[in-house]
Amino acid sequence: MLAWIGAVCILVLVFSAWPLLKRLAETFTSPTEHKLHPAPPLAFICKPSALYNYQLQHCKSFCKPADPHCGSAWTWRSSGVLQTVFGALWPYDSTIHFVRDHLQLSDDGLVSLDWAFSGAGTHPKRRRTSSNSTSPILLIIPNSFGKITRNVQKLCEAAVNHGYLPVVFNRRSQNGTPLSTVKLQQFGDPADLREAVRYIRYRQPAGRLYAVSESTGSGLLLSYLGECGSSSYVTAAACLSPIFRCQSWFESGPTWPFNWALVLYQKMCLSRYRTALGEMIHTESLFSSSSLRAMEETLFCQAGLKGAQVEGVWEAYWERNDPLRDVDEVAIPVLCVCSRDDPVRGEPQSTLPLELFESNPHFFLLLTAQGGHCGFSVPEEGPVLWSHQALLEFFRATTDFFAAEERAKQACRRRGLSGVGKTFRHRSVSSCKRIPTCSHNIHAIYNWQRSYTR
């Protein structure tokens, strides 16, 4: 109930400021400025490679931007603020039902996995053991605040309709997950996610695993991919409106309405565990905080039991939790979908690491002129959002590309043009950075010299 009250307050604030927002948009985007600094409706930024060429040929969404105008007059979809509010708070009557698994971790903590199923037909069984189904699994990581948005619900629905088995990862204490230990997950600590992936591989050992993250949840996904490298068991991944420079984002924060809304929502979620958290932190400081940085410092940057904050702890915290700290170790293709008018991330010139996409062959950036933060809504979008269609096409094209590469390698082996290699197979147990091979024999498929970066 409190969450809905906060959502209504935000909607009232935004729509009450509608005339001012429209006037400012018309003022700051004059025709002369558009002529001098035209922004392309859609830019596909990455290092040229064979996979890049294949994506351009087989992903129609990469050549068709999410145009909120569609040739008509100015609408609310032209505002990044309204796109963001709509995607985060507008209710959606989904046909998807969830079956929850609580996973006990090695330190007795609990995370939950919500398996999505279509509402049609019989209700799925409550508990299931490992399956021999070959359906691909789509691991969805919501934002770091645990809010299940309209964007996540529509993604689950689109994934089910395209033959995927979606599963939503819920962190400790989030989205109704019990807090069994006085420990919360740090922003970029992938330990809990690593155990969840092992469980998913045990339960569905025959299906390929793909991963999608939303907003600040991308920090966790990128941390996991960087730390695990070629042992991540993920075939391909996508980040919707990711936050890359997280330390500076927490320090400066998003614009005032969004900063206030995120702080309020996090306080409401943590208030349920006020007594338990009081054993470790100063809850008075936590619930009197007015910024995201202050809350993060109170939760994770104290020295000892209820200790005071000391100099250098904040910087040390981000050395351990920066999503890009091990970005060079990422060994799978990653698609990032962003917009220039994202009011939560900030200006693209200072918040998007364009050099990463231009130099690293694993990272691909779809940058739209408009779309807000996890919005990308168009007047006639149909059942699947443009951003969701783009990432589903990216997954399919990437899989087809490497399947063709593997067939070519096997043909060479049969002709005696190369040595005998390992076959394409799955593994049911993962151990990050301890096992040199992974479930999809990533070292054989990603043949850098022969095809991937040519």
Side-chain angles (χ1 to χ4, degrees), residues 110-143:
L110 287 178
V111 297
S112 61
L113 298 172
D114 291 336
W115 299 85
F117 298 90
S118 175
T122 59
H123 192 71
K125 295 181 181 180
R126 179 63 187 171
R127 298 188 62 85
R128 300 172 9 147
T129 56
S130 59
S131 169
N132 292 324
S133 171
T134 58
S135 298
I137 302 99
L138 184 63
L139 174 61
I140 301 174
I141 303 175
N143 55 74

Side-chain angles (χ1 to χ4, degrees), residues 132-432:
N132 292 324
S133 171
T134 58
S135 298
I137 302 99
L138 184 63
L139 174 61
I140 301 174
I141 303 175
N143 55 74
S144 60
F145 304 96
K147 171 68 175 176
I148 302 301
T149 62
R150 172 189 176 92
N151 181 62
V152 170
Q153 293 176 333
K154 294 207 70 172
L155 177 57
C156 289
E157 191 173 74
V160 168
N161 294 334
H162 283 75
Y164 288 82
L165 181 57
V167 55
V168 180
F169 173 78
N170 301 291
R171 310 184 193 208
R172 306 179 189 219
S173 81
Q174 292 186 353
N175 194 21
T177 305
L179 184 62
S180 59
T181 58
V182 189
K183 176 184 177 182
L184 298 175
Q185 183 177 357
Q186 297 185 6
F187 184 86
D189 181 7
D192 293 355
L193 180 60
R194 186 163 57 243
E195 294 192 46
V197 170
R198 289 174 182 165
Y199 170 74
I200 293 173
R201 296 305 305 163
Y202 162 77
R203 177 165 167 171
Q204 301 287 338
R208 292 177 180 270
L209 178 61
Y210 303 87
V212 178
S213 59
E214 176 195 48
S215 184
T216 51
S218 300
L220 179 58
L221 177 59
L222 293 175
S223 296
Y224 171 78
L225 296 177
E227 183 173 302
C228 292
S230 60
S231 299
S232 67
Y233 290 125
V234 179
T235 302
C239 301
L240 299 176
S241 298
I243 305 295
F244 291 102
R245 308 188 190 280
C246 297
Q247 180 178 354
S248 61
W249 185 80
F250 270 88
E251 292 172 350
S252 60
T255 54
W256 174 81
F258 296 101
N259 181 78
W260 172 80
L262 293 174
V263 170
L264 177 62
Y265 184 79
Q266 191 169 14
K267 288 181 180 180
M268 289 189 297
C269 293
L270 294 176
S271 62
R272 178 182 179 185
Y273 306 102
R274 185 178 189 127
T275 303
L277 293 175
E279 301 176 4
M280 297 295 296
I281 64 175
H282 291 285
T283 53
E284 296 81 4
S285 300
L286 177 66
F287 291 101
S288 62
S289 303
S290 59
S291 66
L292 294 174
R293 171 176 178 170
M295 295 195 70
E296 198 78 4
E297 282 184 316
T298 304
L299 288 171
F300 303 111
C301 298
Q302 293 182 346
L305 182 64
K306 280 190 165 184
Q309 297 175 6
V310 296
E311 185 178 358
V313 176
W314 178 250
E315 287 71 20
Y317 173 77
W318 284 109
E319 287 180 4
R320 301 188 308 269
N321 290 275
D322 187 351
L324 301 182
R325 63 189 183 277
D326 293 322
V327 69
D328 292 337
E329 301 295 329
V330 175
I332 64 167
V334 180
L335 174 68
C336 298
V337 184
C338 304
S339 66
R340 298 181 184 274
D341 64 346
D342 190 331
V344 176
R345 187 198 67 240
E347 292 294 329
Q349 292 81 3
S350 58
T351 58
L352 288 180
L354 296 180
E355 65 280 359
L356 170 66
F357 299 96
E358 294 171 350
S359 60
N360 193 316
H362 297 96
F363 285 85
F364 303 81
L365 174 63
L366 275 178
L367 183 60
T368 65
Q370 295 173 319
H373 189 76
C374 298
F376 306 104
S377 176
V378 295
E380 299 179 358
E381 62 191 15
V384 181
L385 289 176
W386 170 84
S387 56
H388 299 165
Q389 185 66 36
L391 66 89
L392 291 175
E393 290 180 356
F394 176 79
F395 291 159
R396 186 191 67 249
T398 300
T399 304
D400 294 343
F401 174 81
F402 286 113
E405 290 290 296
E406 182 66 12
R407 289 193 298 269
K409 289 175 67 67
Q410 292 178 355
C412 290
R413 295 189 188 104
R414 287 193 297 267
R415 292 194 300 265
L417 299 182
S418 63
V420 178
K422 295 182 180 180
T423 58
F424 186 86
R425 60 189 179 93
H426 293 275
R427 296 179 62 97
S428 59
V429 179
S430 171
S431 179
C432 293

